[in-house]
Amino acid sequence: MSTFLELGLKEPISKALIDLGYEKPTLIQEKAIPQILSSEQDLKAFAQTGTGKTAAFSLPIIELIDEKDVNTQAIILSPTRELAVQIGNNIEEFSKYIPELKTVTVYGGANIEQQIKQLKKGAQIVIGTPGRTVDLIKRRALKLGNVKWLVLDEADEMLNMGFKEELDNVLEATPETKQTLLFSATFPKEVEAIASNYMNNPVEISSGQKNQGSDNVSHEYYLVTEKTRYPALKRVADVNPDIYAIVFCRTRRETQEIADFLIRDGYNADALHGDLSQAQRDSVMEKFRKKNIQMLVATDVAARGLDVDNLTHVINHKLPDQIENYNHRSGRTGRAGNTGVSIALITKKEKSKLFPIERILNKKFIHTSIPTGKEICEKQLFHLIDKVENTQVNESEIETFLPSIYEKLAGLTREELIQKFVSVEFNSFLSYYENAPDLNDLSSRENSRGISSNENMTRFFINLGRKDRLNPAKLMGLINEQNIGEKVEIGAIDILDTFSFFEIDKDFEDRTLECFEENRPDFNGRTVNVEITKTDRGGGGNRRRRGSSNNAGNGGFGAGRRRKEGATKVMSNKDREFGRRRSDSGKTRKAAEGFGRKRKRA
């Protein structure tokens, strides 16, 4: 393996890397740095999370950039503000011995006027989220006419978050002579489309097989019911006393609820999601990096850019809607040569979702039994004993107290002293798990019934589908245009041939119906019809729409007032069709972190 100097980086950069503890380049760095230094050809690079891709594209740019020219020469786009800030900090560290080189990081949620002032002072490198970058271009505060390098970092996630329009706008503002560098942890067909549309005969390099998971991560799944999902999570935490983990949830509400449960049960936990202010997010992430938080509960979008080493576990409280996101999640552990475990908590019905993930990872999930109370108590007990055995005694601090302590405990034998000590520390675990049920028995009445996973969501039917050229991004845009409200939680989107379904926070149920009825939007010449779908146990469902009532005689929807409870018509077989069929890559999307441009501006 080469050194950074041997890769062609000048001495000030190598010196900064040595200060940071960088000794040898990673595989992606060893491949990408010489390629960018020696060629102006576009580059398409696969790099798993945690392989050092920020240095792979930023170091050669720092090497080649003209620090005497204050114009913006490199624009780096990232999907979230956390990742943008991280990249900006990294570049400042890499270039600390090149004082003329200036970087500015721009993102939503921060004062745009302050960012404009920074840009006016001059910055050779600008790092930004797509939404804020486009805003600054439109305000003519960010001029990209002299850009030599455009970096698309986490390109797959930018597409997942619906930033294609923003990418188009940025590309229009950059010269055709620029070099485009695309880095992605997974390469779904949408990212391949970016490469074909935005890049000119790109060179392709990889730090591993495309979309394949890290060899340092093992993948396990636990079978649960909705009722036992959280108790299973708790047992995973209890059987791993030194756990340092991210718990991934699908929605902001679910994220906060799980974090609250963990805190209530005595764990050092906190939540990271889109409802937090930037200051709150920064505070949570700083505590997590310092390990003051042992378990961070997060949404996919909020966890983007969270660069933390030594994670022992990634726990999927719910599997992601986009299967490629599983690779992003699991890649947060098993970094820097360490091993890690990625755990999925799934129901029997969700088991089929593992197969496409296994194909992407080229790895098999291992079915693991949920720990029993006895197993947890044994593990916690010996962890306690190991901790006592390895504790360093500071005699100078306690020697004045020892005579009194010896006198007080003089009547106890060695065995009695050990038993009492263990009981003081351990009685709470013994009591909690004394009669704990076996959560692996999914047939038991105690474990089988639970709250619906969609209890906080209302499911809507819309009379548009793939044949109308509808996809999740277009459906999101259609919903955004109705101005339902800010920070509306959106759940799964299911695109079928002639109709589709989407979920919205149940608190906005009536408002959604009102907006669609008042606005009466059309899509590609078709009048849009949106109705509530209530799925029943048999896989069918009921629908209702504002201003409609059931007409039992003709099976249609009458023109009368909407009836209150249960006065809805049973659907044809559309819900059943949904139950049998699986849609394509547009089947679902992860919960949005807000609405419209407020959602997109990370």
Side-chain angles (χ1 to χ4, degrees), residues 382-393:
F382 283 98
H383 176 261
L384 172 63
I385 299 305
D386 290 340
K387 188 176 180 181
V388 170
E389 184 181 13
N390 296 322
T391 297
Q392 297 293 321
V393 177

Side-chain angles (χ1 to χ4, degrees), residues 546-557:
R546 192 167 182 83
S548 299
S549 63
N550 181 36
N551 187 327
N554 59 23
F557 286 91

Side-chain angles (χ1 to χ4, degrees), residues 1-7 9 13-27 29-30 33 55 59 94:
M1 183 180 285
S2 306
T3 65
F4 285 101
L5 270 175
E6 291 170 341
L7 291 180
L9 299 176
I13 300 176
S14 297
K15 183 179 178 182
L17 294 172
I18 292 171
D19 291 350
L20 293 168
Y22 284 62
E23 297 179 357
K24 299 287 185 180
T26 64
L27 182 58
Q29 293 163 2
E30 199 170 32
I33 292 173
L59 292 176
F94 298 154

Side-chain angles (χ1 to χ4, degrees), residues 104-222:
V104 171
T105 304
V106 297
Y107 50 87
N111 189 319
I112 193 169
E113 298 300 330
Q114 183 62 36
Q115 293 174 356
I116 290 174
K117 288 180 182 178
Q118 290 178 299
L119 291 172
K120 285 182 177 179
K121 293 178 181 178
Q124 292 92 346
I125 301 176
V126 174
I127 307 100
T129 53
R132 178 53 59 92
T133 299
V134 170
D135 274 357
L136 291 166
I137 291 172
K138 290 180 177 178
R139 291 176 183 233
R140 299 184 179 179
L142 177 58
K143 298 178 174 63
L144 302 181
N146 294 305
V147 160
K148 298 177 181 177
W149 299 277
L150 167 64
V151 180
L152 304 177
D153 189 26
E154 305 279 19
D156 52 346
E157 187 61 17
M158 281 193 278
L159 286 177
N160 284 341
M161 294 170 66
F163 286 130
K164 185 180 183 304
E165 181 181 346
E166 284 80 358
L167 293 179
D168 290 337
N169 291 335
V170 173
L171 283 158
E172 288 176 4
T174 57
E176 292 184 3
T177 55
K178 68 183 177 297
Q179 183 181 22
T180 302
L181 310 173
L182 186 153
F183 282 74
S184 188
T186 61
F187 267 78
K189 61 183 180 181
E190 293 84 1
V191 173
E192 299 288 3
I194 281 190
S196 62
N197 294 333
Y198 297 157
M199 307 177 78
N200 181 26
N201 191 27
V203 174
E204 181 174 332
I205 63 174
S206 174
S207 64
Q209 186 177 338
K210 278 186 187 179
N211 303 325
Q212 183 171 307
S214 169
D215 290 335
N216 293 336
V217 180
S218 61
H219 301 268
E220 302 175 0
Y221 73 91
Y222 294 79

Side-chain angles (χ1 to χ4, degrees), residues 277-377:
S277 68
Q278 186 60 39
Q280 289 173 319
R281 291 156 78 103
D282 291 343
S283 175
V284 170
M285 289 190 292
E286 183 64 19
K287 288 188 289 184
F288 188 56
R289 288 191 181 100
K290 291 181 177 179
K291 296 191 176 182
N292 294 330
I293 293 174
Q294 194 175 11
M295 299 176 72
L296 180 67
V297 190
T299 58
D300 288 289
V301 174
R304 279 291 184 181
L306 182 58
D307 189 18
V308 178
D309 291 329
N310 303 317
L311 285 181
T312 60
H313 293 77
V314 165
I315 302 173
N316 296 270
H317 180 262
K318 296 278 183 70
L319 287 173
D321 287 330
Q322 301 286 346
I323 59 175
E324 291 86 0
N325 281 345
Y326 179 88
N327 203 0
H328 281 300
R329 292 180 175 186
S330 62
R332 307 246 162 227
T333 186
R335 291 174 145 190
N338 298 318
T339 59
V341 181
S342 180
I343 292 173
L345 304 178
I346 62 170
T347 64
K348 286 182 177 180
K349 290 182 179 179
E350 295 169 332
K351 190 174 179 181
S352 61
K353 294 182 179 180
L354 298 182
F355 302 142
I357 297 175
E358 288 177 333
R359 286 195 295 270
I360 288 176
L361 298 175
N362 197 24
K363 284 188 168 186
K364 289 289 186 182
F365 279 84
I366 301 168
H367 178 210
T368 306
S369 296
I370 300 171
T372 64
K374 182 178 180 181
E375 290 169 340
I376 291 170
C377 288

